[in-house]
């Protein structure tokens, strides 16, 4: 599979940086991975401080992979044992074919402890501190309130497949996490959406694109789908935040 080939070449290229561990999270670890549609979400733990030279070597590693199939979907955040604690700390990350810094969120940390896939070295429990009680719930409420609710008001975003898919699935996952105290996969989130009042035709659109072989959209569907999604999510997020915030 192209996924296995890419992971093998990534791990080979990473070896000179002496990783303590490399883990997968997200769909690749959770059993809902769809080649060519899902991202490859990785965490690498290096055994030395991340210096300017480390940044240069990481950039070179990813540049050398640029001709590989699926490489645009490979995302990796780089930690060290000394920087692994704390969900607010920002870490060197390669994603969307560029380097920047971002946190390893409580959702990602919980995924790693619950079902993280070890690609190399030590398991997450040996390196990554557990998520404190209440931190996961507080994060998902804050994420819905501070990121997703303002995004709903940016109409142009919702003409794109990725915003419709992630907006709906993230809301469903947040709702189940708050109700049941556990994480669910994107497939489980899709199954939960009708029971949460999401518009059935939009849910079916997401399902067909993620798991089927959809026909090109009918004229006017993209704009209609955007309106349906925004109308639903705006009210649904407001209710969730009022209830849980």
């Amino acid at each position: 599979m192209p996924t296995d080939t890419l992971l093998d070449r990534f791990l080979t290229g990473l070896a000179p940086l002496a990783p303590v561990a490399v883990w997968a999270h997200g769909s690749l670890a959770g059993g809902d991975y769809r080649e060519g549609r899902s991202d490859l979400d990785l965490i690498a733990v290096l055994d030395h401080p991340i210096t300017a030279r480390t940044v240069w070597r990481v950039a070179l590693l990813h540049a050398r992979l640029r001709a590989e199939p699926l490489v645009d979907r490979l995302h990796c955040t780089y930690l060290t044992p000394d920087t692994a604690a704390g969900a607010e700390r920002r870490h060197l990350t390669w994603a969307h074919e560029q380097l920047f810094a971002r946190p390893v969120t409580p959702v990602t940390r919980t995924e790693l402890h619950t079902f993280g896939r070890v690609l190399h070295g030590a398991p997450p429990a040996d390196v990554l501190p557990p998520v404190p009680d209440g931190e996961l719930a507080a994060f998902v409420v804050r994420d819905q309130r501070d990121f997703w609710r303002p995004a709903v008001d940016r109409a142009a975003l919702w003409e794109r497949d990725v915003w419709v898919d992630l907006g709906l699935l993230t809301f469903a996952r947040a709702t189940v996490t708050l109700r049941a105290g556990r994480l669910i996969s994107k497939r489980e989130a899709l199954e939960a959406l009708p029971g949460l009042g999401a518009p059935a035709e939009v849910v079916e659109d997401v399902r067909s694109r993620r798991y089927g072989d959809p026909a090109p959209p009918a004229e006017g569907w993209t704009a209609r789908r955007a309106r349906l999604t925004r109308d639903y999510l705006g009210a649904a997020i407001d209710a969730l935040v009022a209830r849980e915030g």
Side-chain angles (χ1 to χ4, degrees), residues 179-201:
R179 288 180 178 177
R182 64 184 181 90
L183 297 179
I184 61 173
S185 68
K186 290 179 180 177
R187 184 185 288 275
E188 290 174 302
L190 190 61
E191 298 302 322
L193 278 168
L196 298 175
E201 57 192 311

Side-chain angles (χ1 to χ4, degrees), residues 12-26:
T12 298
L14 186 63
L17 286 167
V20 173
V22 182
W23 310 313
H25 60 99

Side-chain angles (χ1 to χ4, degrees), residues 43 77 79 86-89 91 102-106 108-109 112 128:
I43 302 285
T77 295
L79 315 180
E88 299 301 321
R89 185 165 188 158
H91 306 275
R102 70 180 180 191
V104 179
T105 70
T108 296
R109 292 168 180 269
L112 287 166
L128 195 67

Side-chain angles (χ1 to χ4, degrees), residues 156-171:
L157 297 176
W158 299 90
E159 303 246 341
R160 298 166 56 189
D161 293 347
V162 65
W163 281 89
V164 173
D165 295 0
L166 287 180
L168 289 170
L169 295 175
T170 302
F171 172 75

Side-chain angles (χ1 to χ4, degrees), residues 74-86:
L74 190 152
H75 305 159
C76 187
T77 295
Y78 295 85
L79 315 180
T80 71
D82 291 339
T83 65

Side-chain angles (χ1 to χ4, degrees), residues 149 151-165 167-168 199 201-203 205-206 209 217-235:
R149 187 58 183 88
V152 169
D153 294 331
R154 298 171 62 189
L157 297 176
W158 299 90
E159 303 246 341
R160 298 166 56 189
D161 293 347
V162 65
W163 281 89
V164 173
D165 295 0
L168 289 170
E201 57 192 311
V202 180
V203 174
D205 176 79
V206 176
R209 284 185 290 98
E219 183 177 357
W221 167 241
T222 300
R224 172 175 163 74
R225 183 186 68 180
R227 290 194 300 272
L228 289 169
T229 303
R230 293 177 64 231
D231 287 348
Y232 168 71
L233 278 180

Side-chain angles (χ1 to χ4, degrees), residues 12-215:
T12 298
L14 186 63
L17 286 167
V20 173
V22 182
W23 310 313
H25 60 99
S27 299
L28 187 63
D32 191 30
Y33 179 72
R34 309 290 292 176
E35 188 165 79
R37 302 185 187 186
S38 301
D39 289 331
L40 298 166
D41 295 314
L42 309 178
I43 302 285
V45 183
L46 306 182
D47 73 345
H48 51 79
I50 296 178
T51 63
R53 177 168 172 77
T54 309
V55 174
W56 177 81
R57 294 176 73 184
V58 166
L60 184 60
L61 162 62
H62 288 281
R64 287 172 172 166
L65 294 171
R66 62 182 176 269
E68 296 292 332
L70 308 179
V71 73
D72 60 319
R73 296 187 174 275
L74 190 152
H75 305 159
C76 187
T77 295
Y78 295 85
L79 315 180
T80 71
D82 291 339
T83 65
E88 299 301 321
R89 185 165 188 158
R90 298 165 70 85
H91 306 275
L92 178 68
T93 299
W94 176 271
H96 312 296
E97 302 182 87
Q98 59 183 318
L99 281 173
F100 55 97
R102 70 180 180 191
V104 179
T105 70
V107 170
T108 296
R109 292 168 180 269
T110 303
E111 286 183 353
L112 287 166
H113 278 286
T114 306
F115 54 79
R117 176 178 166 186
V118 177
L119 302 178
H120 169 79
D126 287 0
V127 182
L128 195 67
V131 177
D133 290 345
E135 188 172 282
L136 176 62
F139 172 79
V140 299
V141 172
R142 188 167 64 249
D143 186 52
Q144 289 291 304
R145 182 192 66 210
D146 297 345
F147 179 80
W148 287 104
R149 187 58 183 88
V152 169
D153 294 331
R154 298 171 62 189
L157 297 176
W158 299 90
E159 303 246 341
R160 298 166 56 189
D161 293 347
V162 65
W163 281 89
V164 173
D165 295 0
L166 287 180
L168 289 170
L169 295 175
T170 302
F171 172 75
R173 297 179 82 186
T175 300
V176 172
T177 293
L178 292 167
R179 288 180 178 177
R182 64 184 181 90
L183 297 179
I184 61 173
S185 68
K186 290 179 180 177
R187 184 185 288 275
E188 290 174 302
L190 190 61
E191 298 302 322
L193 278 168
L196 298 175
E201 57 192 311
V202 180
V203 174
E204 185 53 37
D205 176 79
V206 176
R207 186 192 312 277
S208 66
R209 284 185 290 98
R210 184 167 178 83
Y211 299 109
D213 187 18

